[in-house]
Amino acid sequence: MTGKPKLYYFNGRGKMESVCWLLAAAGVEFEEEFLETREQYEKLLQGGFLMFQQVPVVEIDGMKMVQTRAILSYIAAKYNLCGKDLKVRALVDMYIGGTDDLMGLILLFPFLSAEDKEKQLAVTVQKATSRYFPAYKKVLKDHGQNFPVGNNFSWADVHLLEAILMVEEKKSDVLSGFPQSQAFKTRISSIPTIKKFLEPGSQRKCVPDDKYMETVRRVLHMYHNVKAN
């Protein structure tokens, strides 16, 4: 081991992408092992990596961590991205939960038929513009600071930027009625560690393609009781 966190997942977006975002935002280098075969899964299972027979799994600080939220919480705490006190941490957690709900709508897309993708897009845009972005608009406007929580960069900022970019990939003008969110996106994207992660050649993954989906289906369908969590 080199001491770097090691991420085990498919070579594409999914639950692990937020882990990549958070590590990158913290300026932490990490290694990745991309899962392509059933044999790789079996090796992880036999090695005791997959506590609940699920991915993602991250090897960090001598631990084999599963459950995405637990992994993210640990990284945020380790690198001081979860708030300076109990109340701030509660707000960060609350905002993360809302952003997770929005991102969950988009994570479904690769698994849907063309017809269902159109329906899901309409639902996603409707909820983004009537529920989630208005909430963040109010938070940013009322708070009057550069960041939604306190006035310090946190996990909530990283997660929200990731969500905004995910929605913009589906509808490029989705922020047209939300100038505060647009300014937030520009501001957070210019933070050096995040700017680096957004540049070509980084470990940020592309939108899932057919090859990625074939790999996921092949590996997970061979092991019906193993699934992405």
Side-chain angles (χ1 to χ4, degrees):
M1 290 288 294
T2 64
K4 297 178 183 178
K6 187 169 183 179
L7 284 51
Y8 299 83
Y9 201 66
F10 303 100
N11 186 12
R13 290 187 192 170
K15 290 288 187 177
M16 186 66 90
E17 188 68 0
S18 291
V19 177
C20 295
W21 267 90
L22 194 56
L23 286 169
V28 178
E29 294 184 359
F30 56 91
E31 299 177 349
E32 297 177 278
E33 180 173 317
F34 298 126
L35 306 179
E36 298 178 346
T37 67
R38 178 179 178 177
E39 287 72 25
Q40 286 175 288
Y41 253 110
E42 290 176 340
K43 184 177 179 180
L44 290 176
L45 286 166
Q46 293 165 5
F49 277 69
L50 307 183
M51 183 177 185
F52 302 111
Q53 300 184 13
Q54 295 173 313
V55 290
V57 58
V58 173
E59 198 170 7
I60 183 171
D61 295 341
M63 298 184 292
K64 301 177 179 69
M65 293 198 70
V66 297
Q67 294 298 320
T68 310
R69 188 62 179 266
I71 295 167
L72 290 167
S73 294
Y74 180 80
I75 294 168
K78 180 178 173 69
Y79 297 104
N80 300 314
L81 292 172
C82 60
K84 62 183 180 179
D85 59 44
L86 188 60
K87 288 185 177 180
V88 172
R89 291 181 182 184
L91 289 174
V92 168
D93 201 48
M94 183 175 73
Y95 296 155
I96 291 294
T99 306
D100 267 342
D101 292 342
L102 174 58
M103 292 170 69
L105 297 172
I106 300 172
L107 287 174
L108 289 175
F109 270 84
F111 298 92
L112 301 176
S113 65
E115 180 180 355
D116 287 339
K117 283 180 181 178
E118 289 187 21
K119 295 178 182 177
Q120 185 71 2
L121 175 60
V123 170
T124 300
V125 172
Q126 190 275 327
K127 288 188 176 182
T129 56
S130 68
R131 180 183 301 180
Y132 297 105
F133 290 162
Y136 282 107
K137 176 182 178 180
K138 186 177 189 310
V139 168
L140 290 165
K141 184 176 180 180
D142 292 352
H143 187 48
Q145 302 290 344
N146 288 333
F147 307 102
V149 185
N151 195 27
N152 295 291
F153 180 58
S154 74
W155 173 21
D157 303 297
V158 182
H159 218 51
L160 179 55
L161 177 61
E162 182 186 1
I164 286 172
L165 297 180
M166 288 172 70
V167 180
E168 280 191 325
E169 286 175 342
K170 302 300 180 186
K171 184 171 173 38
S172 60
D173 63 348
V174 74
L175 289 183
S176 60
F178 302 96
Q180 289 89 354
S181 295
Q182 182 66 58
F184 169 86
K185 184 189 82 168
T186 300
R187 185 166 59 250
I188 302 303
S189 296
S190 66
I191 292 173
T193 53
I194 293 181
K195 183 178 180 181
K196 181 179 179 180
F197 188 62
L198 292 172
E199 291 174 350
S202 77
Q203 287 170 287
R204 186 187 182 205
K205 307 301 183 295
C206 298
V207 176
D209 57 15
D210 290 342
K211 180 180 179 181
Y212 169 79
M213 294 310 303
E214 288 172 7
T215 301
V216 172
R217 290 191 177 100
R218 181 175 66 250
V219 174
L220 298 188
H221 287 184
M222 286 183 178
Y223 239 107
H224 292 293
N225 62 332
V226 178
K227 59 182 179 180
N229 64 315

